[in-house]
């Protein structure tokens, strides 16, 4: 696989998963526009990519506004002459339960994740269509958007919305040769570092040791470096036939998420009145009701967190 001659934008790529994506794309030969809200963080990311022999430059701006989307795409064309790949990774968290979530908590997360993905993809896709050589749109989702998660109303809504937009864009951009896919990463983050269940995995990563096989295999949980190769693959010519998909990756695991499909169907001539529903509902859907949230298997004894 080679991305030589390609130009990529990765939003929110100053650190963490976004930086890993930018570094992998650069390692495969792409010139990369790095994005972060902090100038020093963005400069460090560019320096790290260049030190490894890659090509990168930074745009310091918050994702969400149309002006930022334009600045990112303009920078790609002004500095490298084209745009082939967009990875929308920028995001923030404002976790709290529904009854404590403020308007600002909700709006901030939706603005960065959902609106920011929309504005950046709209600008990039428009310019890719004008360029006339196809392109790759890769949007970052989350298991929370697929399954829900306690305390993340705002984040779940945004991430589920991103996958919905990707499916729509895959249809709208097909004629232009532009693919649109969502990646659902499962990796160690600042958030998982605070969860006791992941203590052994976080501790191993902090020591520079391999994560226990239980996490990597059974949970599909690893580090940012386990996710980045999928980003590069979807950005390549090898993935030209892959579009409209939600693809999960983490640790040793790769998954293709299904599109929502009906799991039970029944018909009643004349429609369903309240009496008929009360009588037949449980028989039709009762055993097929869908679970919510992630279900983690019990931790092996040797991986239990230390007791306080």
């Amino acid at each position: 696989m080679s991305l030589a001659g390609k130009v990529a934008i990765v939003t929110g790529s100053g650190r963490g998963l976004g930086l890993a994506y930018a570094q992998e794309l650069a390692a495969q030969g792409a010139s990369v526009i790095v994005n972060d809200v902090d100038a020093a963080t963005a400069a460090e990311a560019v320096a790290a990519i260049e030190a490894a022999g890659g090509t990168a430059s930074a745009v310091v701006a918050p994702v969400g506004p149309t002006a930022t989307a334009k600045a990112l795409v303009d920078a790609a064309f002004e500095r490298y002459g084209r745009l082939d790949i967009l990875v929308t990774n920028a995001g923030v968290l404002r976790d709290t339960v529904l009854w404590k979530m403020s308007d600002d908590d909700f709006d901030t997360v939706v603005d960065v994740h959902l609106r920011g993905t929309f504005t950046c993809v709209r600008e990039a896709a428009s310019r890719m269509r004008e360029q006339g050589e196809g392109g790759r749109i890769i949007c970052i989702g989350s298991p929370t958007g697929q399954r829900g998660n306690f305390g993340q109303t705002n984040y779940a809504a945004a991430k589920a919305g991103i996958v919905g937009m990707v499916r729509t864009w895959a249809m709208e951009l097909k004629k232009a040769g532009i693919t649109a896919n969502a990646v659902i990463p499962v990796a160690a983050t600042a958030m998982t570092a605070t969860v006791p269940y992941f203590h052994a995995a976080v501790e191993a990563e902090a020591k520079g040791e391999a994560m226990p096989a239980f996490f990597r295999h059974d949970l599909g949980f690893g580090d940012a470096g386990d996710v980045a190769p999928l980003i590069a693959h979807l950005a390549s010519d090898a993935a030209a036939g892959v579009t409209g998909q939600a693809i999960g990756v983490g640790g040793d695991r790769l998954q293709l998420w299904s599109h929502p499909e009906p799991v039970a169907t029944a018909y009643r001539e004349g429609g369903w009145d309240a009496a008929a529903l009360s009588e037949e509902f449980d028989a039709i859907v009762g055993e097929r009701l869908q679970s919510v949230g992630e279900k983690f298997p019990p931790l092996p004894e040797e991986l239990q967190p230390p007791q306080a």
Side-chain angles (χ1 to χ4, degrees):
M1 178 175 61
S2 173
L3 300 177
K6 305 287 189 182
V7 176
I9 296 168
V10 184
T11 68
S13 49
R15 57 169 64 91
L17 283 164
L19 176 57
Y21 304 157
Q23 289 175 316
E24 180 69 19
L25 292 171
Q28 298 296 339
S31 300
V32 181
I33 298 292
V34 168
N35 161 252
D36 199 271
V37 294
D38 181 74
T41 299
E44 290 173 6
V46 169
I49 290 170
E50 292 178 337
T55 300
S57 60
V59 171
V60 179
V63 167
T66 294
T68 296
K70 290 184 178 295
L72 288 164
V73 174
D74 286 346
F77 278 90
E78 290 168 2
R79 300 173 195 179
Y80 305 118
R82 59 185 296 111
L83 176 61
D84 304 281
I85 303 154
L86 170 66
V87 182
T88 61
N89 171 75
V92 295
L93 292 175
R94 297 289 188 273
D95 292 356
T96 189
V97 291
L98 171 63
W99 52 94
K100 293 183 179 180
M101 185 171 288
S102 68
D103 289 357
D104 185 63
D105 291 333
F106 185 85
D107 291 344
T108 297
V109 170
V110 170
D111 186 60
V112 177
H113 285 278
L114 190 62
R115 188 174 192 274
T117 295
F118 162 69
T119 56
C120 287
V121 172
R122 179 178 60 183
E123 188 66 23
S126 296
R127 297 292 291 275
M128 287 176 179
R129 291 179 73 246
E130 292 173 3
Q131 188 172 260
E133 298 177 35
R136 302 285 182 268
I137 304 294
I138 304 166
C139 301
I140 306 303
S142 167
T144 295
Q146 305 294 101
R147 304 276 308 173
N149 192 34
F150 189 95
Q152 291 194 309
T153 293
N154 44 14
Y155 186 69
K159 289 302 191 182
I162 286 170
V163 175
M165 293 194 299
V166 159
R167 293 182 180 127
T168 299
W169 294 334
M171 293 184 284
E172 294 178 343
L173 298 172
K174 182 178 180 179
K175 187 175 180 180
I178 302 169
T179 64
N181 291 288
V183 168
I184 315 297
V186 181
T189 64
M191 183 174 68
T192 56
T194 66
V195 180
Y197 185 91
F198 294 104
H199 172 80
V202 172
E203 186 176 53
E205 185 182 39
K207 294 179 179 179
E209 300 172 354
M211 282 190 189
F214 171 82
F215 292 99
R216 292 192 58 84
H217 183 273
D218 294 29
L219 291 182
F221 179 86
D223 58 28
D226 295 313
V227 180
L230 176 60
I231 302 296
H233 173 70
L234 291 175
S236 73
D237 293 342
V242 181
T243 192
Q245 304 303 304
I247 305 171
V249 65
D252 298 333
R253 187 177 71 188
L254 180 72
Q255 295 180 310
L256 179 66
W257 285 84
S258 67
H259 299 319
E261 297 286 350
V263 297
T265 302
Y267 301 93
R268 185 174 187 272
E269 188 174 350
W272 292 90
D273 58 30
L277 284 168
S278 295
E279 182 178 345
E280 300 184 44
F281 188 86
D282 286 348
I284 296 167
V285 307
E287 295 183 0
R288 298 180 177 88
L289 291 176
Q290 305 296 285
S291 64
V292 295
E294 289 287 291
K295 307 299 185 204
F296 295 139
L299 277 170
E301 184 64 32
E302 69 274 13
L303 298 179
Q304 293 287 338
Q307 299 301 310

